[in-house]
Amino acid sequence: MTPTTTERTDFVARLRASFPLDRVLTEPGDLERYSHDDAEWAPFELPLAVVLPESAEEVSDAVRAAAEAGVRVVARGSGTGLSGGANAVADSIVVSLERMTAVTEIDVAERFAVAQAGVINDVLRSTVAAHGLWYPPDPASSAISTIGGNVATNAGGICCVKYGVTRDYVLGLTAVLADGSIVRLGRRTAKGVVGYDLTHLLVGSEGTLAIVTDVTVRLLPLAGREERAVVGSFASLQDAGVAVAAITAAGIIPSALEIVDSTCLRAVDEWQKLGLPRDVDTMLLAKVDEPGALGDAAAARVAGLMAEAGAVGVEQAAEPAEVARLFLARRLAYPALERLGPVLTEDVCVPRGAVPEMLARIQAAARENQVTIANIAHAGDGNLHPLIIAPEGDDSAKARAKTAFDRIVADCLALGGTVTGEHGVGLLKLPGAAEELGPRVLDLHRAVKHALDPRGTLNPGKAFPA
Amino acid sequence: MTPTTTERTDFVARLRASFPLDRVLTEPGDLERYSHDDAEWAPFELPLAVVLPESAEEVSDAVRAAAEAGVRVVARGSGTGLSGGANAVADSIVVSLERMTAVTEIDVAERFAVAQAGVINDVLRSTVAAHGLWYPPDPASSAISTIGGNVATNAGGICCVKYGVTRDYVLGLTAVLADGSIVRLGRRTAKGVVGYDLTHLLVGSEGTLAIVTDVTVRLLPLAGREERAVVGSFASLQDAGVAVAAITAAGIIPSALEIVDSTCLRAVDEWQKLGLPRDVDTMLLAKVDEPGALGDAAAARVAGLMAEAGAVGVEQAAEPAEVARLFLARRLAYPALERLGPVLTEDVCVPRGAVPEMLARIQAAARENQVTIANIAHAGDGNLHPLIIAPEGDDSAKARAKTAFDRIVADCLALGGTVTGEHGVGLLKLPGAAEELGPRVLDLHRAVKHALDPRGTLNPGKAFPA
């Protein structure tokens, strides 16, 4: 089925004939730029071409042409993925949805919006906010990632601990199937149970079952929340982990509960000169968002539990600017780390009670493999992001980092966790996914993939081990 | 592939040999009793036998034996379904999960529980409540329906308007596949995105893709809510509909927003002598559950909006007993109606703003077809339950009821709704589902069904038009 060199050339020529010239990219620089997402060390190939469609119909045209030519199709949002899910494969085209940026409908009374796949998460949020509505899912990449990419990976974020993930807000979608046909799935009503839940099957399927071209998202009222921040400083990751366990065991559901460790704090401070105290090992950053007296009580309770868990200091804020200031270290942690070298981002998720133990095991993995591992964590979800740093060009460090990565995955499974909390399997987590899912469930994945994409046109080799 | 008479006899004999005698039922009375659910007028056959397994392994044994013999398998909870989803088909066995009634695990810190499929919804709720935890989904059948049945139909309920449906609380499950293999799907962590979302694909699949034997459900803290009831009396369904639209447009998310019409109110009053005022045409029953001053404010706001919409009276309550009293008419409406004759229960769901128009169209359908249609509605979700009553034995009334049913389905689709908000397609909604889903999406259903159940063993002919 692999196309010959002539067939490839013919295919690209046909593609260029059927799209405006500036929307089929074939320059080497463009091919390189679109060939991979933000995952370090995940393999990729150069695509045959990059197509920039402006409608579902144009996506369909590209998919149909590719399917006929035996060429694979890799869909891409803005390439902020951290697992290699959008990396080009051999004999593929990349279909970038970056030009499909319209929010085509906002229904205030029914509280939903329809956004094309290329709409940036923050743009969707601000657009609906102007109508008094709130789209909660807030991946750290919200300023640059697209709603289509968020849907493809079922993206999480900071407020998920209280408000859920992308899948929880997807009511329906338009998708281009592997044969090029365009389908509408899901609904616009508050409830509905007609047929199989194919809408949510596509969410998180990493472009392997269909290419999502627009999404109908459920919204919440913007009003009624008042954010308060409570930030505790701890002498160790473990102490912060104990505070996390205490807060969740108390039945408090914060709207954010994040850990930032000393490595991240130092990196942020060296970069931004925030004057963070050098004796703080770990910061635990919480938000509560109940209004009025309820919020005051919740914030006081969180602060009390942090103190009981041994916090060396606790700060509170209710003013939006002050809340933002307290969370600044969290927001800057990832870019600050990236300045230190290629960052291999882990994404394990363990039961909340296992957070202290998992953090200890991550530290052990760093020690034993002599690599630097920084930690940011959606601690309230048990979703940890150990950031493994290996200096550019240091092959030995890279090998040790890989060993640490594998060990962390194994430890997470041993603690009853999942190998990926929110980033997706992509290419990086294929071995872990195989272990977590087991052979019979993998059979089911293959059967479902074959049912929707019998020729293996869409993003083959991603999302689950084939 | 249809088994011969001898093959059927042999199969039942094998089944009886491999299960304790009292757990394979073949008496005609038993076969009749297990042959259908609570849907009026949905067709059913007598099963060859009814099997009462006590473990996933025993479910697997029954499925495997049936698959080998070319016999179909219809899974059943307690048969409270309203669409015929659990009705026996030709050459089938019914696998009743009624003996699998253990809540096998409650994890207070992680806030989840594991319940076998036969656990009654209210039992699950009270069991976890004893640990300070709350399982929100509350179908009207909660006293008699099983969690397995709730999962098979993705059951809704009264509090869904704020807290979501069954699918939103399913973290993972154990299921027996069409070949008898047992798989575990999903997770126990707060988040997770490994592989396809097969867990939620099975939720709502009406036993056509697998038989769920236990369910891991996400729980909320029980504390922190304080229910207040606000009940408005209206002179017409339309006035109540206007109040619904006003409440939702105000960005208030009540924890219940239910309509009960005059036909229901009269039926309840004649049965239970509650002394309901005879001049009330429609009651709109709301709950809000924010604690303290927030709840007071929300209740006052709802009451004010009801008055503005023309309520002839508004009552409020905060004491649990008083709240329950105000909601009594809602709770008794369905059984009161059933006393009047066979009730064909509709389940259309329209955009919230279309509730007044849909209610008007339902009244028109009743008038034009000279049938009695009572209305209860999860109004806040746009999910309406017109209850079409035809006196026993009156074939002409039955035919007119059927015409009204079809008209309501068509009207709902014309208003951008879905043919089933929470009861499922079963058998009753197959034509409506065909129209709503369209040919290409139906292809996808067939492909997914074939991928998971290539021989058509599990509940064939249900959930979508084959």
Side-chain angles (χ1 to χ4, degrees):
Chain A
M1 278 262 322
T2 307
T4 64
T5 305
T6 316
E7 286 169 339
R8 284 191 201 109
T9 312
D10 288 354
F11 164 71
V12 173
R14 265 205 315 283
L15 214 49
R16 293 177 66 90
S18 52
F19 280 87
L21 271 189
D22 62 336
R23 299 207 275 112
V24 178
L25 313 181
T26 53
E27 291 298 318
D30 291 327
L31 299 184
E32 155 62 28
R33 196 153 52 87
Y34 282 91
S35 63
H36 61 83
D37 64 18
D38 211 22
E40 291 294 335
W41 308 351
F44 59 89
E45 307 278 338
L46 287 191
L48 303 177
V50 177
V51 184
L52 308 175
E54 295 187 347
S55 67
E57 289 67 26
E58 288 191 356
V59 174
S60 166
D61 291 345
V63 170
R64 211 179 289 268
E68 278 166 17
V71 166
R72 281 81 171 263
V73 180
V74 178
R76 175 188 170 101
S78 46
T80 61
L82 292 166
S83 297
N87 284 14
V89 299
D91 293 316
S92 69
I93 55 169
V94 167
V95 171
S96 171
L97 294 133
E98 69 194 70
R99 297 210 178 188
M100 294 182 61
T101 57
V103 177
T104 55
E105 196 176 345
I106 298 175
D107 191 317
V108 176
E110 308 295 327
R111 288 198 293 272
F112 70 77
V114 181
Q116 289 186 323
V119 173
I120 298 293
N121 178 298
D122 274 353
V123 172
L124 174 60
R125 294 152 67 81
S126 60
T127 305
V128 302
H131 294 80
L133 295 167
W134 183 39
Y135 176 69
D138 59 347
S141 59
S142 64
I144 46 174
S145 66
T146 62
I147 185 70
N150 293 174
V151 166
T153 56
N154 187 22
I158 288 176
C159 77
C160 300
V161 60
K162 181 165 183 175
Y163 291 99
V165 296
T166 302
R167 180 177 284 123
D168 300 315
Y169 293 87
V170 176
L171 281 176
L173 42 81
T174 304
V176 174
L177 302 177
D179 65 354
S181 54
I182 301 172
V183 292
R184 280 219 43 84
L185 299 172
R187 57 178 209 277
R188 297 177 152 209
T189 50
K191 293 197 299 194
V193 293
V194 75
Y196 295 150
D197 187 5
L198 302 176
T199 306
H200 291 151
L201 178 66
L202 293 196
V203 178
S205 66
E206 302 186 14
T208 64
L209 299 179
I211 298 177
V212 172
T213 58
D214 70 49
V215 190
T216 304
V217 293
R218 185 171 78 86
L219 304 169
L220 297 182
L222 187 63
R225 295 179 312 116
E226 288 172 18
E227 286 198 331
R228 286 165 179 75
V230 185
V231 175
S233 304
F234 291 85
S236 73
L237 263 177
Q238 278 65 42
D239 285 355
V242 170
V244 169
I247 290 166
T248 58
I252 299 166
I253 304 185
S255 57
L257 192 56
E258 299 284 313
I259 277 177
V260 182
D261 80 354
S262 56
T263 309
C264 293
L265 291 174
R266 271 198 307 275
V268 170
D269 209 38
E270 275 159 22
W271 180 31
Q272 296 281 332
K273 317 289 180 210
L274 299 182
L276 295 171
R278 288 308 176 100
D279 58 338
V280 171
D281 183 88
T282 302
M283 276 169 69
L284 177 61
L285 305 99
K287 282 183 189 169
V288 296
D289 66 355
E290 291 83 0
L294 273 184
D296 291 337
R301 190 116 186 268
V302 168
L305 289 165
M306 285 185 182
E308 277 173 38
V312 296
V314 179
E315 274 193 276
Q316 294 192 47
E319 285 303 305
E322 189 64 359
V323 169
R325 188 190 64 81
L326 286 182
F327 266 70
L328 190 60
R330 169 66 185 88
R331 203 152 59 80
L332 296 175
Y334 193 78
L337 259 294
E338 279 189 311
R339 296 174 66 246
L340 306 184
V343 175
L344 184 58
T345 307
E346 251 296 349
D347 177 43
V348 292
C349 188
V350 295
R352 298 175 186 95
V355 166
E357 171 66 15
M358 188 67 221
L359 287 169
R361 292 192 184 201
I362 291 166
Q363 288 183 309
R367 256 193 330 270
E368 285 164 24
N369 294 287
Q370 297 175 281
V371 288
T372 301
I373 305 186
N375 280 286
I376 48 179
H378 305 307
D381 284 324
N383 188 195
L384 312 183
H385 293 312
L387 307 170
I388 312 174
I389 303 159
E392 196 91 61
D394 183 340
D395 284 347
S396 156
K398 190 168 165 177
R400 284 180 276 117
K402 185 65 182 60
T403 307
F405 181 95
D406 292 342
R407 156 117 189 236
I408 289 169
V409 167
D411 278 335
C412 137
L413 290 175
L415 293 174
T418 177
V419 300
T420 175
E422 58 180 13
H423 291 171
V425 169
L427 293 166
L428 287 183
K429 286 298 173 72
L430 290 173
E435 194 173 339
E436 181 173 340
L437 295 173
R440 187 65 185 93
V441 176
L442 283 178
D443 283 347
L444 289 183
H445 280 71
R446 279 186 282 269
V448 168
K449 168 73 173 172
H450 189 262
L452 269 73
D453 180 16
R455 301 176 64 184
T457 299
L458 300 175
N459 210 12
K462 312 288 183 61
F464 67 94
Chain B
M1 277 261 325
T2 307
T4 64
T5 306
T6 316
E7 284 169 340
R8 285 190 200 110
T9 313
D10 288 355
F11 164 70
V12 174
R14 266 205 316 283
L15 213 52
R16 292 178 66 90
S18 54
F19 280 86
L21 271 189
D22 63 337
R23 299 210 274 112
V24 179
L25 312 181
T26 53
E27 291 297 318
D30 290 327
L31 299 185
E32 155 61 28
R33 194 153 53 87
Y34 283 91
S35 62
H36 61 84
D37 65 18
D38 212 20
E40 292 295 334
W41 310 350
F44 59 89
E45 306 277 338
L46 287 191
L48 303 176
V50 177
V51 184
L52 308 175
E54 295 186 348
S55 67
E57 289 69 25
E58 290 191 355
V59 173
S60 165
D61 291 344
V63 170
R64 211 177 289 269
E68 278 166 16
V71 165
R72 281 81 172 262
V73 181
V74 179
R76 176 188 168 100
S78 45
T80 62
L82 291 167
S83 298
N87 284 12
V89 298
D91 294 315
S92 70
I93 55 168
V94 167
V95 171
S96 171
L97 294 134
E98 69 193 72
R99 298 212 178 187
M100 296 185 59
T101 57
V103 177
T104 56
E105 198 175 344
I106 298 175
D107 192 317
V108 176
E110 307 295 327
R111 287 199 292 273
F112 70 77
V114 182
Q116 289 185 324
V119 173
I120 298 293
N121 178 299
D122 274 353
V123 172
L124 174 60
R125 293 152 67 81
S126 60
T127 305
V128 303
H131 294 80
L133 295 168
W134 182 40
Y135 176 69
D138 59 349
S141 60
S142 65
I144 45 174
S145 67
T146 63
I147 185 71
N150 293 172
V151 166
T153 56
N154 187 24
I158 288 176
C159 76
C160 301
V161 60
K162 180 164 183 177
Y163 291 99
V165 296
T166 302
R167 181 177 284 122
D168 299 316
Y169 293 87
V170 176
L171 282 175
L173 42 81
T174 304
V176 174
L177 301 177
D179 65 354
S181 55
I182 300 172
V183 292
R184 280 218 44 82
L185 299 173
R187 57 180 211 273
R188 296 178 152 211
T189 49
K191 292 198 299 195
V193 293
V194 75
Y196 295 149
D197 187 3
L198 301 177
T199 306
H200 290 153
L201 179 65
L202 293 195
V203 178
S205 67
E206 303 187 13
T208 65
L209 298 178
I211 298 177
V212 171
T213 58
D214 69 48
V215 189
T216 303
V217 292
R218 186 171 78 86
L219 303 170
L220 297 181
L222 187 62
R225 294 179 312 117
E226 289 171 20
E227 285 197 334
R228 285 165 181 76
V230 185
V231 175
S233 304
F234 291 84
S236 74
L237 265 176
Q238 277 66 39
D239 285 356
V242 169
V244 168
I247 291 167
T248 57
I252 299 167
I253 303 185
S255 56
L257 192 57
E258 299 284 313
I259 277 179
V260 182
D261 79 354
S262 56
T263 310
C264 293
L265 292 173
R266 271 199 306 276
V268 169
D269 208 39
E270 273 157 24
W271 179 33
Q272 296 280 332
K273 316 291 181 211
L274 299 181
L276 296 171
R278 287 309 176 99
D279 59 335
V280 172
D281 182 89
T282 303
M283 278 169 68
L284 176 62
L285 305 99
K287 282 183 189 168
V288 296
D289 67 354
E290 291 83 359
L294 274 184
D296 292 336
R301 189 115 187 269
V302 168
L305 289 165
M306 285 184 182
E308 277 172 40
V312 295
V314 179
E315 275 193 275
Q316 292 195 47
E319 285 304 306
E322 189 65 0
V323 170
R325 187 189 68 79
L326 286 182
F327 266 70
L328 190 62
R330 169 66 184 88
R331 203 153 58 80
L332 296 175
Y334 193 76
L337 260 295
E338 277 189 311
R339 295 173 68 248
L340 306 184
V343 175
L344 184 59
T345 308
E346 251 298 347
D347 178 42
V348 292
C349 189
V350 294
R352 296 176 187 97
V355 166
E357 170 67 15
M358 188 67 220
L359 287 170
R361 293 194 184 200
I362 290 165
Q363 288 183 309
R367 255 193 332 270
E368 285 162 24
N369 295 286
Q370 295 174 281
V371 288
T372 301
I373 305 184
N375 280 286
I376 49 180
H378 304 308
D381 284 323
N383 187 194
L384 311 183
H385 292 314
L387 307 170
I388 310 174
I389 303 159
E392 195 92 61
D394 183 340
D395 283 347
S396 157
K398 191 167 163 175
R400 284 180 277 118
K402 184 67 181 58
T403 306
F405 180 95
D406 292 342
R407 155 113 191 238
I408 290 168
V409 168
D411 279 334
C412 136
L413 290 174
L415 293 174
T418 176
V419 300
T420 174
E422 59 180 12
H423 292 171
V425 169
L427 294 167
L428 287 184
K429 287 297 175 73
L430 291 173
E435 194 173 338
E436 182 172 339
L437 296 172
R440 187 65 186 93
V441 175
L442 283 177
D443 283 348
L444 288 183
H445 280 72
R446 279 186 282 270
V448 168
K449 168 72 174 172
H450 189 261
L452 269 74
D453 180 16
R455 301 177 62 184
T457 299
L458 300 175
N459 209 14
K462 313 288 182 63
F464 67 94

